[in-house]
Structures are given as C-alpha cells and as structure tokens.
Amino acid sequence: MAASLSLLPPRPEPNAMADLQDEPHTAFAAHTAYTVADTVPAGPGSSGAEDTPAPVAGTALERAVALLSVHPVADGHNTLVWTLRQSPYHDIDTPDSGVDTDIPRLRAGGVGAQFWSLLLPGGAGAADRVLSDTLDQIDVALALMRRYPDGLCLALTADDMADARNRGRIASFLGPVPGRTLTDSLGALRAFHALGVRVLAPAGAPWAGEELTPFGHEVVKEMNRLAMLVDLTGCTPEVACQLAGASKAPVIASHTAAAALNPHPGNVTDEVLLALRAAQGLAMVTFDTAQTGDSLHAVADHVEHVRAVAGPHCVGLGAAFGTEPGISRPAGLTDPSGYPRLIAELLDRGWSETDLALLTWGNAQRVLRDAEFTARAAQHRRPA
C-alpha cells in the first residue's frame, strides 16, 4: 500500500526543559503508577538514564518494573511499518490481537524508545524498486507518528529521545533503511537523513558484499558526518569488522544474538562482538526463536554472552517485534509487554541495576550522543 501523506517529517515538539540532565516530569511519573497485580509496568521512564538507579526492595519482577519506570527499554528493531503496509486496518492505539505490537503493550513492557525498521523482508522489493519501496516505508512510518501523536513522537537525536520520554511518549527513530538503495551516489543517503532516517544497514549492498569497497568507505564517512548509525546486522563477519573499523562513530547490530551459542546466519560472532567493543558500539539482542532458542532463559543466555564478550556498555535489546501471528517467539517474550520478565530473570542472575539501566536505555542513548559528537567534529573540520 503506497501512503498518500507527505514525506516531510514532523519535527519533535520543542521543550524548554529538554533534556541534558534528563529530568522527569512529575505529572507523568504519577500518571504511570504501576500495580504488580496488573502485570502492567509503568510507561517510559521518569528520570535520567545516566543516573545511578536507586536500589528497590521487593520481588525480582517488582524491581524490574520499578527499574523500567525510570530506565525504559530503547528497542533497536521493530518491523511494524512493513506489517501496516500490508494490513493497514490495525489500530495500535488499543490492544490488537492481530499484531504483536501496539501502544498499550509497548507501555506495558516499559518501552520508552523504538527504532522502526524500514527494511524490506527477504524477497520483497525488486532491485529496480528498492528505493521507491523504501520511500513508501518512510511515508508509512511518518504517517504512524502523525496518527498517534499522544503515544509516539518522532526522534532525531538523543535529546529528542529523552524529551519524548519525559513527556510520556515513545521516542520513535526511523531506520534502518537498506544499504542497497545507495549505488554510486550519496544523494539518496542525504535525502534519507533529511526525511528523518537515522540508521542504515549495509547488508545486501554491492559496496558491502565480500569486502567494504572504496564507495563503501565514502558511505561510512558521510554517515559519520550526518550522525547516522551503521547497522552491521546481516553482514559477513569480515565486512562487519571492516565497517566497525572504518567508522569513527559507534556502530550497532540492531537485532542479533550470539553465534557462539547458536550459529544462525543472523547472529554475530565473538570476533564481531570484540570489534563492536573496540568501536564502543552496541549489539542488541533479538527475541527470535530461530536465533536465540524458544525460552526466556535462552534469550537471557544470549544477553549474558554478549555482555561477557562486548562488555556491559555494548549490549542492548532489539526484539524484532512488529509482526502478525505466526512468528515463533520465546515463551514469555511473545510481545513487548514481556520485557519486565526478562529484566527480572537478569536480576535473578545477579545483574546490578546499574548494568540493567545501561542495557535498557543508557547504552542506546550513549551511542546516539557519540554519533552526534562525531558528526559535529566532522562538520567542523569540513572545508567551507
């Protein structure tokens, strides 16, 4: 379905109290009061993800809910945009059994920021239509922001991410877009940035196939200048390491798991995790049964392996929800409302609340800030 709305992205609303200190809005904190008996945690958080969380007494689930009310999840990958192109009748403002993602379940899971994937599923999009199909994806995503302004808010920066959370909305980033939309010109990349896209995935692009070509290096350099994140997901280990080494800003893997635990082609090897660590990047663990296994415990094993190899500052969450029924999910993690259960499992395994705050929110926000810092430095050095 090609959307008819304008492609011009709505700017996030200005906020005079925005965010460098990431302070909460008291009214929102009161509005999102949580009762464990309801199994619905508070919505996106209430205070700075960069602060050290205060210890909370209670069961692991109660502690998980309390932590997510302050340090919500920044989820790296959701495919709802593609689903809505195919089935536009879904209303995500109310619980919708026909799709695994809606605003009530995002809030129930403590999701405070969401990266909306604009990738085309395998086999979708002919080579001569990949650019126009991607523009349709962007159009649908922007229409989604306009349709649900009380729940979703377009985010372009780390400051927008915190500001949306403080106003009780889910910060919504656009991307990744497919790298194969770029051929021998960087014009499309700059156009994507102007439309609000902040992540691009090189996997499948001819300039990031067996190796990163000279044009591929130019793409990475321009992405650094624009503060766009490079998504390594789906790249070969060799190319992923080349991309991580070529980028002056942190790179991410938006939805992956540990190949050491399950040699799925979408999972990252320890070599790539070490490259992410060196680049101060971020590996975001998916909730895909084929990649992780069929239980919450198995997902937690992947999260722990990524942390052990890449370090506590380089692990995040990218569940890859956003589908209609039929996709196999680990038990207990069938939709975004399951996030508190995973955090409770990690608490039971001895994770500190400080490391959990990094996992859910802090690492994603830091990567965005670092990319913005790199972009400012690059623009300052660029000749007039």
Side-chain angles (χ1 to χ4, degrees):
M1 179 191 76
S4 61
L5 297 175
S6 168
L7 283 174
L8 292 176
R11 283 290 307 176
E13 299 173 18
N15 180 7
M17 297 300 291
D19 91 285
L20 288 182
Q21 72 273 28
D22 292 348
E23 287 298 327
H25 285 247
T26 305
F28 177 67
H31 174 69
T32 55
Y34 168 77
T35 305
V36 173
D38 296 332
T39 65
V40 180
S46 309
S47 73
E50 295 168 357
D51 299 333
T52 300
V56 177
T59 68
L61 184 58
E62 289 171 334
R63 291 170 61 202
V65 167
L67 185 140
L68 288 172
S69 72
V70 180
H71 305 280
V73 172
D75 184 291
H77 197 84
N78 189 296
T79 61
L80 182 67
V81 172
W82 173 261
T83 300
L84 293 181
R85 277 189 68 192
Q86 311 310 305
S87 306
Y89 52 81
H90 290 300
D91 177 10
I92 68 163
D93 211 17
T94 58
D96 187 337
S97 61
V99 67
D100 66 21
T101 299
D102 51 50
I103 292 172
R105 278 182 284 187
L106 288 168
R107 292 194 183 282
V111 176
Q114 180 66 70
F115 289 77
W116 300 102
S117 172
L118 305 174
L119 299 177
L120 306 171
D128 60 348
R129 284 191 50 83
V130 63
L131 180 57
S132 60
D133 283 343
T134 301
L135 290 173
D136 280 347
Q137 291 277 89
I138 295 171
D139 193 29
V140 173
L142 294 175
L144 190 68
M145 307 301 119
R146 290 189 287 269
R147 185 176 179 185
Y148 302 103
D150 294 333
L152 307 177
C153 180
L154 179 69
L156 305 177
T157 66
D159 284 356
D160 293 341
M161 177 177 168
D163 180 60
R165 178 198 60 181
N166 293 342
R167 293 187 292 114
R169 291 168 176 81
I170 297 166
S172 297
F173 290 92
L174 301 187
V177 295
R180 57 195 178 104
T181 54
L182 312 181
T183 52
D184 57 355
S185 169
L186 299 176
L189 179 65
R190 289 188 280 266
F192 287 148
H193 180 268
L195 291 169
V197 174
R198 291 299 179 265
V199 190
L200 179 138
W207 46 268
E210 296 182 2
E211 64 177 0
L212 189 63
T213 68
F215 177 70
H217 281 275
E218 288 301 311
V219 172
V220 173
K221 182 178 179 181
E222 185 67 0
M223 290 180 70
N224 287 171
R225 190 186 72 82
L226 295 171
M228 291 179 69
L229 298 176
V230 179
D231 181 1
L232 307 182
T233 305
C235 293
T236 65
E238 295 76 17
V239 170
C241 290
Q242 290 173 19
L243 287 163
S247 178
K248 296 184 182 301
V251 296
I252 68 169
S254 67
H255 57 298
T256 190
L261 302 184
N262 178 5
H264 186 279
N267 291 349
V268 287
T269 63
D270 285 359
E271 177 189 16
V272 174
L273 289 175
L274 290 172
L276 279 165
R277 183 173 191 148
Q280 299 181 39
L282 185 58
M284 309 179 89
V285 177
T286 187
F287 298 175
D288 184 321
T289 297
Q291 292 178 247
T292 61
D294 61 2
S295 69
L296 182 152
H297 183 89
V299 173
D301 288 344
H302 282 269
V303 173
E304 291 209 295
H305 184 87
V306 170
R307 183 181 69 155
V309 178
H313 292 272
C314 297
V315 59
L317 300 167
F321 290 127
T323 62
E324 294 178 305
I327 301 296
S328 178
R329 300 289 183 189
L333 298 174
T334 56
D335 62 61
S337 67
Y339 268 119
R341 300 187 191 96
L342 176 63
I343 302 307
E345 169 70 15
L346 296 173
L347 282 166
D348 282 338
R349 295 183 180 209
W351 279 51
S352 71
E353 294 183 5
T354 297
D355 279 359
L356 286 168
L358 292 173
L359 171 75
T360 58
W361 182 267
N363 289 338
Q365 187 172 55
R366 188 264 308 164
V367 163
L368 288 165
R369 288 202 190 283
D370 287 356
E372 292 161 20
F373 178 85
T374 300
R376 288 193 295 271
Q379 292 162 10
H380 179 74
R381 291 193 301 269
R382 193 181 193 191

